[in-house]
Every structure is written in C-alpha cells, then in structure tokens.
Amino acid sequence: MSRIGKKIINIPAATKVEIKENVITATGALGTLSYVIPEGITPNLEGAVLTFSIPETRWKELNALHGTTRANVSNIIEGVTTGFTKVLEINGLGYRANVAGQKLNLDLGFSHPVNLDIPAGLTVAVDPKSGAVTIKGSDKFQVGDFAAKIRRIRPPEPYKGSGIKYQGEHIARKAGKTAAGGK
C-alpha cells in the first residue's frame, strides 16, 4: 500500500467532513470544498480521524490513486480551515502591479498593460512598497494555477533577474558578456 495513502488525516474541531457515496465534502471557516473519491478506495471516518483503504486484491492498480486521494482530501480540509497563499515577487525597472476591482493590472515592459481577471474564490493583494503580489484562497489548485499563470507572462531571466518569480525561488544567474581583451 501507498505510504502516503496509509497516513491518517486529523480533522480540526472547526471543520465538518461528510461522506456521501463517493464524495467527500469539507466545510470550514473559509467555505466548502468537495472531492470525488475514485472507485475502489474506501474512506473511513471515525471521530476526528479520516483514513483511506484499498482492497488487497486491487492494490497494483489503486496504489497510486490511494496516495493521491489522501493528499487531495488533506488539501481540501486544510484549505477550508487555514487556506493557501502564494507570493510572487516582481523585479524589473518599471515593472508594477495593481488590483482594480476583480482585475489584476500588470505593467511588465510590454507595449501594453496585461489585465487578468481574478478567479472567483481568490483574493489578490499587492504590496505598494515591494510590489509583491499575494494570492490567497481555499483551493490549493486554483491558487497555484493562477500564480503560475501570472508567472508565465514574464518569467525571470537569468542575466538581470528581472521578471516575476515565486517568493523564495532561486534563479540561477549567468554572467554577462565580458569586454574584449587586448588581442
């Protein structure tokens, strides 16, 4: 059996988890999220502990899904309890971002500004001093997907390091051209 799939999930007191047929629904302070459990995987809810099991006769085909299912359900429980956050840093001369209503406006050195619609369920804030863009939400996939969509517009380049990067991300820097020697 999968090592991750065998781990238990402790459900916080403020979070309510329901299992109906093959759907797990978690409700917490930040909303409600659901996950459809693949066929063959059995959830077991005992008090505030949730576990998943698979039949021993089908372990070869369900082993990978066992760990994936446990991780996804753990993410929805964490999402409705505390939420997820991604922080993007914008580096570059004249590069800036701001939020206007449900749009994120980015000036990234193109001939035009880039305007992105903020998906429902996410909150985006821009720090005016550092220019950092903070994305918060309860759905881990949605937070990560929107952050990746923003980063994809102007990824960091290796010479000056200008562009959009995740907070804490290391960019391998390259040396630029050197002046011609006296040959």
Side-chain angles (χ1 to χ4, degrees), residues 17-175:
V17 175
E18 290 181 351
I19 301 172
K20 289 186 180 174
E21 295 175 17
N22 64 339
V23 177
I24 289 186
T25 305
T27 305
L30 299 178
T32 301
L33 293 173
S34 297
Y35 182 75
V36 178
I37 302 169
E39 181 184 336
I41 297 176
T42 308
N44 306 314
L45 181 61
E46 296 174 10
V49 175
L50 180 63
T51 58
F52 295 93
S53 60
I54 57 174
E56 289 186 24
T57 56
R58 297 180 60 194
W59 75 269
K60 276 191 176 183
E61 63 183 278
L62 293 175
N63 197 31
L65 281 177
H66 188 210
T68 302
T69 300
R70 187 254 176 226
N72 287 337
V73 171
S74 176
N75 285 340
I76 69 166
I77 291 172
E78 184 181 344
V80 298
T81 306
T82 58
F84 295 99
T85 303
K86 286 271 187 185
V87 180
L88 298 168
E89 296 173 353
I90 299 177
N91 300 319
L93 187 63
Y95 291 8
R96 63 180 66 84
N98 60 28
V99 177
Q102 283 298 310
K103 287 201 177 281
L104 176 65
N105 303 320
L106 300 165
D107 292 321
L108 300 172
F110 297 122
S111 62
H112 60 283
V114 179
N115 299 319
L116 296 173
D117 292 324
I118 299 172
L122 295 184
T123 58
V124 178
V126 177
D127 182 21
K129 282 190 175 182
S130 66
V133 178
T134 305
I135 304 163
K136 293 182 181 181
S138 60
D139 189 352
K140 186 175 187 175
F141 174 78
Q142 194 177 27
V143 170
D145 186 49
F146 190 60
K149 187 176 182 182
I150 295 170
R151 185 184 184 278
R152 209 175 301 128
I153 295 169
R154 180 69 88 172
E157 53 95 18
Y159 295 102
K160 294 180 183 176
S162 61
I164 302 173
K165 68 175 189 146
Y166 296 113
Q167 187 178 42
E169 179 183 7
H170 174 71
I171 305 300
R173 300 292 293 270
K174 293 182 179 178

